[in-house]
Amino acid sequence: DRNGKTLRPKVAARLITMDPEDLARVPEVIAVVAGASKAPAVRAALAGGLVHGLVVDATLADVLLAG
């Protein structure tokens, strides 16, 4: 969710993904994200400690830095 709490939507059962617990054990996770609309998801991933590095486009960077 927006506070970084892990959610498990029903659709996740039909996707090939890593469980959040497995992702937490990866020593370095770098997210590559583009688009200002992704700001809430990026903030949630950072709040939840899911990513250690972040690569974003200028538009998204502006939104994130603006708060």
Side-chain angles (χ1 to χ4, degrees), residues 36-56:
S37 65
K38 305 283 183 25
V42 170
R43 286 191 181 106
L46 292 170
L50 297 175
V51 297
H52 307 101
L54 187 59
V55 178
V56 299

